[in-house]
């Protein structure tokens, strides 16, 4: 069997040459506006972006409303999409694969609590709704599934493949992961046994030494070389051709690596770095290491390839990026955050070595910075809460990671508030929907183009894509990568509304302001 996935539909593998019809796209709404045009293949919109420009004049802020006009186009043909996972045989890789098969085949299975049906809970795109507007008659909110806001790939239609330094097939990997119920595993094992990860580049020095026994599926040679890079590029080309795909997105869900040293002449510029990005395949990093060294970002920019990362924001940090936003924006002075967790999966085993833990410690520690810096009433310049991150490997708990947090804050007149959280995160069941969201959003943004609208009739630059560093992915990531020189936003609510409002802008719709004046001024 070719070493890549063909997700079967239950009655044998998908015909290699056939193109499985995308799951029907429901057209649930249309925008009626002189600024929006629907063609056979595009949605075209004229959008006015309202901001407030602030300057300081004689020690006083002066705020000036500003309008910038953009033209957006969205190609509405949803492609046949492939997702290639680096680390496919891991807990996340095997879990997300089983989850997509289960949803695609609408499986249900028995658990000790009764029948369980497949679902996409925990996916922003597949499990949440957005406010489209207000009902013209009842004045009530009209909410629609997030997935229906713009034409998007359905995860059931994603073809999955990838690489792993472990040669176990996906059914064996699923058993090794010990994440899923036996009832579900039994229903998907047959398909998953036909899925075998491609051999990968293994550079022992980058991951924990305790991973060595796992590495029985590696490309010859102990150092990454151009031959290795060419082999990986050929794997992608072969996977795309074999599955008759329109697009492939590569996502790293392999082990956390140590940080890469930024070495002048090696990875500081595009010309000094591998040409892997030349094909233009988007690459998303679900782990915390600094994969996108300056040379990689420059190469992505040069080839207009999307990159995104770092580190899935799945449990403890996701909670933190919402709770810290609430506390500080409520005027409560957070003074310390102690985050401890222990887990017993292979990720935890890899993180038990200092250099790999350090990568994770960094990605988990910066998540409160933007919220603290924005509040100059509570914090003097440079002042920030104590913040510590501890991760311990405890095999007994397996994938059911325990996250224990203490938030300590100053409140009115010298009082204090202590919030203590005990959060059992089933790691891979929380991360797998994020793997799906990252791929769906990245693919959508490959079909969105923009240009500055002409205001005086003068010609403007042609349409182009979003910046190569796809910072709209930040909601799913602990340490969001942003275009060089642009600020990092970690506050969870801001990240979600930024993504929704950009997608609304592509439809010529203003951001949802939550002002609801229609319910206040009458
Ligand atoms: N909730 C979560 O699970 C979560 C949240 C945030 C980040 N992450 C990160 O996601 C990654 C995967 O998590 P996991 O629980 O699936 O870990 P895992 O250890 O179960 O899986 C990682 C897989 O990567 C493989 N691998 C290692 N180096 C490789 C290489 N060079 N090429 C190909 N495969 C390679 C390993 O053999 C393993 O199968 C980790 O870096 C973890 O820190 C996980
Ligand atoms: O996303 P989150 O729960 O804050 O952070 C988690 C870490 O605390 C955990 O040790 C590790 O298993 C996961 O890779 C994940 O990164």
């Amino acid at each position: 069997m070719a070493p890549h996935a063909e997700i079967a539909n239950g009655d044998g593998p998908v015909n290699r040459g056939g193109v499985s019809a995308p799951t029907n796209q429901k057209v649930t709404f249309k925008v009626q506006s002189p600024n929006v045009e629907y063609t056979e293949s595009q949605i075209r919109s004229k959008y006015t972006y309202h901001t407030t420009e602030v300057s300081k004049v004689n020690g006083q802020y002066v705020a000036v409303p500003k309008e910038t006009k953009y033209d957006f186009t969205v190609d509405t043909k949803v492609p046949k999409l492939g997702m290639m996972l680096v680390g496919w045989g891991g807990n996340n890789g095997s879990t997300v694969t089983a989850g997509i098969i289960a949803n695609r085949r609408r499986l249900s299975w028995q658990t000790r609590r009764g029948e369980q049906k497949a679902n996409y809970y925990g996916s922003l795109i597949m499990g949440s709704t957005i406010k489209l507007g207000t009902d013209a008659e009842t004045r009530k909110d009209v909410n629609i599934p997030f997935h229906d806001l713009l034409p998007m790939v359905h995860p059931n239609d994603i073809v999955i493949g990838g690489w792993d330094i472990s040669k176990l097939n996906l059914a064996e990997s699923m058993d090794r992961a010990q994440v899923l119920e036996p009832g579900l595993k039994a229903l998907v094992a047959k398909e998953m046994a036909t899925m075998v990860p491609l051999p990968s580049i293994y550079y022992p020095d980058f991951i924990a030494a305790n991973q060595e026994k796992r590495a029985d599926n590696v490309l010859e040679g102990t150092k990454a070389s151009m031959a290795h890079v060419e082999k990986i590029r050929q794997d992608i080309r072969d996977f795309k051709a074999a599955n008759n795909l329109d697009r492939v997105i590569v996502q790293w869900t392999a082990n956390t690596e140590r940080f890469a040293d930024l070495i002048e002449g090696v990875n500081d510029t595009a010309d000094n770095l591998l040409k892997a990005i030349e094909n233009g395949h988007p690459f998303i990093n679900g782990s915390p290491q600094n994969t996108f060294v300056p040379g990689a970002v420059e190469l992505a920019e040069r080839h207009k390839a999307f990159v995104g990362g770092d580190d899935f924001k799945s449990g403890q940090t996701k909670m933190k990026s919402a709770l810290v936003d609430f506390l500080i924006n409520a005027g409560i002075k957070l003074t310390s955050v102690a985050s401890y967790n222990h887990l017993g999966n292979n990720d935890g085993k890899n993180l038990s070595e200092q250099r790999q833990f350090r990568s994770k410690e960094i990605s988990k520690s910066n998540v409160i910075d933007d919220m603290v810096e924005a509040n100059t009433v509570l914090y003097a310049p440079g002042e920030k809460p104590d913040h510590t991150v501890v991760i311990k490997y405890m095999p007994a708990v397996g994938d059911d990671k325990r996250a224990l947090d203490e938030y300590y804050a100053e409140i009115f007149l010298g009082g204090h508030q202590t919030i203590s959280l005990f959060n059992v995160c089933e790691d891979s069941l929380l991360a797998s929907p994020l793997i799906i969201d990252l791929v769906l959003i990245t693919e959508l943004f490959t079909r969105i183009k923009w240009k500055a609208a002409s205001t005086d009739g003068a010609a403007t630059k042609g349409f182009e894509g979003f910046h190569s560093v796809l910072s709209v992915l930040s909601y799913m990531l602990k340490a969001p990568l942003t275009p060089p020189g642009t600020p990092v936003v970690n506050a969870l609510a801001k990240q979600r509304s930024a993504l929704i409002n950009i997608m609304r802008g592509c439809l010529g719709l203003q951001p949802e302001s939550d002002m609801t004046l229609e319910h206040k001024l009458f």
Side-chain angles (χ1 to χ4, degrees):
M1 185 70 195
H4 52 265
E6 289 179 341
I7 289 193
N9 51 19
D11 42 20
V14 168
N15 170 346
R16 184 193 299 270
V19 177
S20 60
T23 304
N24 289 335
Q25 297 285 344
K26 290 194 303 312
V27 179
T28 56
F29 75 95
K30 200 160 185 170
V31 175
Q32 186 177 302
S33 158
N35 295 322
V36 181
E37 179 194 0
Y38 290 82
T39 72
E40 266 303 298
S41 60
Q42 283 189 334
I43 298 170
R44 296 175 183 166
S45 68
K46 296 191 174 306
Y47 180 74
T48 302
Y49 177 49
H50 296 273
T51 52
T52 303
E53 205 157 71
V54 178
S55 47
K56 210 165 199 177
V57 179
N58 302 327
Q60 186 185 42
Y61 281 135
V62 176
V64 178
K66 185 179 173 203
E67 292 187 0
T68 309
K69 296 189 187 301
Y70 291 106
D71 293 339
F72 285 113
T73 62
V74 182
D75 294 339
T76 48
K77 181 183 182 301
V78 171
K80 188 179 177 189
L81 179 66
M83 170 172 75
M84 295 190 83
L85 298 177
V86 186
W88 191 20
N91 283 27
N92 288 348
S94 56
T95 301
V96 71
T97 302
I100 288 177
I101 293 174
N103 276 285
R104 179 190 168 113
R105 293 182 48 213
R106 297 189 178 84
L107 296 178
S108 60
W109 55 96
Q110 283 307 316
T111 72
R112 61 176 186 273
R113 288 182 297 278
E115 185 186 49
Q116 175 62 51
K117 289 188 170 69
N119 62 48
Y120 281 116
Y121 294 174
S123 161
L124 173 73
I125 302 296
M126 300 305 293
S128 80
T129 61
I130 62 107
K131 178 181 174 183
L132 178 61
T134 307
D135 185 286
E137 284 158 25
T138 66
R139 314 309 298 159
K140 288 186 176 167
D141 287 359
V142 174
N143 295 294
I144 62 168
F146 199 136
H147 188 260
D148 293 345
L149 186 53
L150 282 172
M152 296 180 86
V153 169
H154 194 289
N156 290 354
D157 302 322
I158 297 174
V159 180
I160 308 180
W163 303 264
D164 203 294
I165 57 175
S166 164
K167 67 183 176 189
L168 296 194
N169 68 47
L170 267 284
E172 295 162 332
S173 298
M174 176 173 62
D175 285 337
R176 173 176 59 188
Q178 298 181 353
V179 171
L180 298 173
E181 295 271 356
L184 168 55
K185 290 200 297 180
L187 293 171
V188 299
K190 186 177 167 217
E191 280 111 320
M192 291 181 74
T194 66
M195 301 172 182
V196 179
L198 293 160
S200 186
I201 298 171
Y202 172 51
Y203 200 162
D205 180 51
F206 269 75
I207 58 176
N210 61 35
Q211 298 297 310
E212 194 171 357
K213 283 199 295 295
R214 203 174 168 110
D216 57 5
N217 191 37
V218 301
L219 296 176
E220 289 311 309
T222 55
K223 269 189 177 295
S225 67
M226 279 318 289
H228 283 162
V229 173
E230 188 40 47
K231 170 65 173 61
I232 298 296
R233 292 170 67 196
Q234 191 57 46
D235 289 343
I236 298 171
R237 286 193 285 262
D238 292 348
F239 177 72
K240 186 174 182 186
N243 291 285
N244 196 26
L245 300 171
D246 299 313
R247 176 168 293 281
V248 173
I249 293 176
V250 180
Q251 187 160 181
W252 178 281
T253 183
N255 285 123
T256 293
E257 298 186 325
R258 66 167 173 78
F259 258 46
D261 305 319
L262 303 190
I263 305 166
E264 204 171 319
V266 174
N267 55 21
D268 59 334
T269 68
D271 290 334
N272 298 330
L273 198 70
L274 303 177
K275 305 279 180 207
I277 299 176
E278 249 172 25
N279 287 7
H281 300 300
F283 186 101
I284 305 162
N285 177 29
S287 292
Q289 69 274 2
N290 63 333
T291 300
F292 299 117
V293 290
V297 172
E298 190 184 322
L299 203 55
E301 289 169 333
R302 180 182 296 176
H303 296 285
K304 299 193 184 310
F306 281 143
V307 291
D310 297 314
D311 206 5
F312 306 126
K313 181 162 71 175
S314 57
Q316 185 174 53
T317 305
K318 193 168 196 170
M319 187 72 77
K320 188 178 291 179
S321 65
L323 190 54
V324 169
D325 188 29
F326 141 61
L327 289 169
I328 293 178
N329 284 329
I332 293 173
K333 184 171 183 177
L334 186 66
T335 53
S336 85
V337 184
S339 291
Y340 165 92
N341 76 43
H342 63 265
L343 67 162
N345 56 20
N346 189 59
D347 177 30
K349 183 176 178 185
N350 181 63
L351 290 169
S352 66
E353 292 199 8
Q354 177 53 33
R355 294 187 306 166
Q356 284 66 38
F357 165 70
R358 181 62 188 139
S359 295
K360 188 67 76 173
E361 183 182 34
I362 290 169
S363 76
K364 286 173 70 86
S365 300
N366 300 333
V367 73
I368 67 174
D369 295 353
D370 56 315
M371 296 167 252
V372 170
E373 283 156 23
N375 191 319
T376 53
V377 170
L378 296 176
Y379 301 97
E383 183 187 6
K384 51 172 53 173
D386 303 336
H387 188 192
T388 187
V389 170
V390 176
I391 299 175
K392 292 298 176 191
Y393 176 48
M394 305 279 271
V397 302
D399 203 74
D400 297 347
K401 172 186 69 198
R402 269 81 170 136
L404 294 85
D405 292 87
E406 183 190 84
Y407 294 81
Y408 188 58
E410 280 181 40
I411 56 179
F412 196 45
L413 301 183
H416 286 87
Q417 179 177 13
T418 302
I419 299 170
S420 182
L421 294 179
F422 183 80
N423 177 359
V424 178
C425 316
E426 295 187 325
D427 241 7
S428 301
L429 295 174
L430 286 173
S432 294
L434 305 185
I435 290 175
I436 292 169
D437 288 337
L438 286 162
V439 160
L440 296 185
I441 297 166
T442 301
E443 187 286 318
L444 169 65
F445 275 75
T446 65
R447 290 183 280 120
I448 299 177
K449 299 290 184 282
W450 69 277
K451 74 180 176 78
S454 168
T455 51
D456 55 6
T460 60
K461 280 195 315 180
F463 280 96
E464 54 188 304
F466 275 66
H467 188 278
S468 286
V469 180
L470 207 51
S471 53
V472 290
L473 298 175
S474 62
Y475 181 92
M476 277 67 68
L477 297 159
K478 290 199 199 60
L481 204 62
T482 61
T486 63
V488 174
V489 174
N490 283 295
L492 198 63
K494 283 185 180 179
Q495 294 171 329
R496 187 174 192 270
S497 59
L499 175 62
I500 291 169
N501 290 327
I502 288 170
M503 293 169 72
R504 290 175 66 91
C506 294
L507 289 158
L509 297 175
Q510 283 302 314
E512 184 40 61
S513 70
D514 293 326
M515 292 167 71
T516 60
L517 292 181
E518 63 275 14
H519 299 155
K520 298 176 175 72
L521 308 179
F522 62 94

